[in-house]
């Protein structure tokens, strides 16, 4: 199936009709491409799990046109949800709130909560509005990659993942490049479940309070969800994360172990020993690295490198999202 142009209103309508009829669609957002199906029809949402090979107990994010549509899915709307949605929607922030028991049961994996997000992408918003006009209340949409793999940031990546039988709406390269930050506001204390390009400091400033962070170590009650699995976002090649000042030694130590295939290196300083190395230059700006990261990992995979050596990002919360994705990519 050819890519549909996100710039063509007829293509948006075609995609919306396909969704309304219960179909699956690759669609752009400002973070990464999503694999969408209507969230308000359980059989449609179930198609996502089957296509991704995703365990059915891993909940999906539901994309909505805004706060009003969020109320169709939310059983209640905590004050902190209102503050964060007013401040950051449309945008790369997902809010976990109590779920209306009768809707999105499959999308939410049966949890008493639902994750909601209004994406800041003109094509995604046009699609959501067109679909809403056809009775679709929200679009369940995990990243459009097979379970555990690198998220797609271009329409061509989605085709690489699912082949050309999937309908894909092309909205160009994603502006942010890593998935949304997720904040659970369903309980007393807001918890940052997944860092994104929106930093913890931005979210805390809006809430005027500190965020508890993470669920793996500190929050035993929180659901076990794939964004929280230690190993995720992995390219085919093995990823090694190394401190900048140890990169040259690490590559030196590799010696001639490589079996004729080269090694990928993603670092700010080009390695001293250039062969047999495919080097990708890393920016010093965290938003640029977020923007490039998944395309770089996919590109190095396409080059057939045997392993990817990545420079550890600097300290500081601006790098949290990138550091999180890299640590998971490097875990097997
Ligand atoms: O930027 C994004 O968030 C992208 C685009 C397409 O919007 N979507 C995305 O979806 O990253 P996915 O499925 O790859 O990650 C969704 C994550 C899950 O891994 C899980 O951590 C969390 O959302 N999640 C969903 N529902 C939840 C819930 N009820 N409680 C806690 N976490 C939830
Ligand atoms: Mg994902």
């Amino acid at each position: 199936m050819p890519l549909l142009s996100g710039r063509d209103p007829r293509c948006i309508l075609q995609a919306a009709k396909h969704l309304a009829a219960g179909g699956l669609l690759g669609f752009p957002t400002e973070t990464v491409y999503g694999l969408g199906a209507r969230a308000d029809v359980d059989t449609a949402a179930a198609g996502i799990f089957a296509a991704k090979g995703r365990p059915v107990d891993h909940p999906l994010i539901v994309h909505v046109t805004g706060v009003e549509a969020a109320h169709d899915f939310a059983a209640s709307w905590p004050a902190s949800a209102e503050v964060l949605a007013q401040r950051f929607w449309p945008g790369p922030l997902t809010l976990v709130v109590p779920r209306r028991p009768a809707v999105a049961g499959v999308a939410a994996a049966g949890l008493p909560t639902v994750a909601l997000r209004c994406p800041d992408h003109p094509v995604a918003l046009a699609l959501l509005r067109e679909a809403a006009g056809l009775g679709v209340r929200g679009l369940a949409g995990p990243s459009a990659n097979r379970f555990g793999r690198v998220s797609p940031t271009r329409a061509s990546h989605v085709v690489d993942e699912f082949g050309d039988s999937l309908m894909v709406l092309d909205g160009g390269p994603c502006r942010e490049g890593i998935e949304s930050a997720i904040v659970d506001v369903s309980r007393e204390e807001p918890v940052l479940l997944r860092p994104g390009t929106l930093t913890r400091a931005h979210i805390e400033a809006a809430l005027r309070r500190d965020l508890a962070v993470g669920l793996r170590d500190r929050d035993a009650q929180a659901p076990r969800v794939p964004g929280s699995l230690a190993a995720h976002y992995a390219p085919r090649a093995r990823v090694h994360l190394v401190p900048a000042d140890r990169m040259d030694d690490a590559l030196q130590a590799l010696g001639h172990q490589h079996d004729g295939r080269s090694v990928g290196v993603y670092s700010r300083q080009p390695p001293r020993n250039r062969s047999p190395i495919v080097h990708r230059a890393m920016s010093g700006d965290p938003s640029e690295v977020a923007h490039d990261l998944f395309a770089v990992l996919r590109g190095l995979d396409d080059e057939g490198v045997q392993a990817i050596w990545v420079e550890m990002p600097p300290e500081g919360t601006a790098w949290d999202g990138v550091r999180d994705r890299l640590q998971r990519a490097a875990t097997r």
Side-chain angles (χ1 to χ4, degrees):
M1 194 175 298
L3 293 178
L4 297 178
S5 165
R7 282 199 292 261
D8 183 343
R10 288 167 306 181
C11 291
I12 304 264
L13 179 60
Q14 184 184 345
K17 283 182 173 163
H18 179 67
L19 288 171
L24 278 179
L25 174 80
F27 70 101
T29 81
E30 81 280 33
T31 56
V32 301
Y33 274 75
L35 180 66
R38 59 188 303 173
D40 53 351
V41 173
D42 283 345
T43 49
I48 295 175
F49 292 90
K52 274 191 69 122
R54 175 165 169 135
V56 292
D57 59 352
H58 291 300
L60 310 173
I61 291 171
V62 177
H63 299 74
V64 291
T65 51
V67 172
E68 211 184 305
H71 289 299
D72 287 341
F73 293 92
S76 63
W77 194 244
S80 43
E82 182 64 15
V83 168
L84 293 176
Q86 290 301 341
R87 175 72 184 79
F88 297 115
W89 280 8
L93 177 67
T94 295
L95 298 171
V96 173
V97 298
R99 176 173 65 91
R100 280 184 194 265
V103 286
V106 165
L111 291 172
T113 54
V114 60
L116 296 166
R117 171 164 119 78
C118 176
D120 184 19
H121 190 293
V123 176
L125 286 170
L127 174 72
L128 286 170
R129 288 184 189 129
E130 195 73 58
L134 300 172
V136 175
R137 287 186 289 166
L139 201 55
S143 49
N145 52 276
R146 294 192 189 267
F147 186 66
R149 316 297 305 188
V150 179
S151 298
T153 54
R154 297 176 188 176
S156 63
H157 297 165
V158 183
V159 178
D160 290 344
E161 291 283 329
F162 294 103
D164 57 9
S165 59
L166 178 71
M167 185 185 282
V168 180
L169 190 57
D170 188 351
C174 301
R175 184 187 79 206
E176 302 288 328
I178 61 172
E179 303 81 354
S180 59
I182 303 180
V183 179
D184 183 351
V185 289
S186 71
R187 292 167 295 150
E188 190 94 330
E189 189 187 18
V191 181
L192 180 62
L193 296 183
R194 179 172 74 184
T197 47
L198 202 62
T199 66
R200 184 171 135 203
H202 286 128
I203 300 168
E204 288 179 339
L207 284 174
R208 295 171 189 242
R209 63 179 291 179
D210 290 347
L211 273 178
V213 179
L215 73 175
R216 263 171 294 152
D217 319 329
R218 303 195 199 172
D219 187 356
Q221 266 120 58
R224 303 268 129 190
V225 285
S228 73
L229 296 179
H232 216 67
Y233 312 108
R236 285 188 296 272
R238 185 89 188 241
V239 175
H240 303 273
L241 253 185
V242 265
D245 58 356
R246 298 233 300 272
M247 180 67 87
D248 278 319
D249 288 347
L251 293 174
Q252 204 72 44
L254 273 182
H256 296 285
Q257 286 169 28
H258 63 92
D259 50 12
R261 288 193 298 158
S262 50
V263 169
V265 175
Y266 184 35
S267 64
R268 284 178 288 173
Q269 285 292 326
R272 249 181 293 140
N273 168 7
R274 300 300 295 271
S275 161
I277 281 168
V278 183
H279 182 242
R280 294 282 178 275
M282 184 187 276
S283 161
D285 174 344
S287 22
E288 283 179 21
V289 179
H291 179 270
D292 297 344
L293 176 63
F294 291 148
V296 166
L297 295 180
R298 278 176 184 274
L300 288 170
D301 255 352
D302 291 345
E303 298 243 7
V305 301
Q306 140 195 290
I308 303 173
W309 292 75
V310 182
E311 179 180 319
M312 192 90 80
E315 298 291 308
T317 64
W319 290 91
D320 285 352
V322 164
R323 195 179 311 106
D324 170 78
R325 302 313 185 275
L326 280 172
Q327 277 163 350
R328 289 171 210 238
T331 304
R332 290 234 165 142

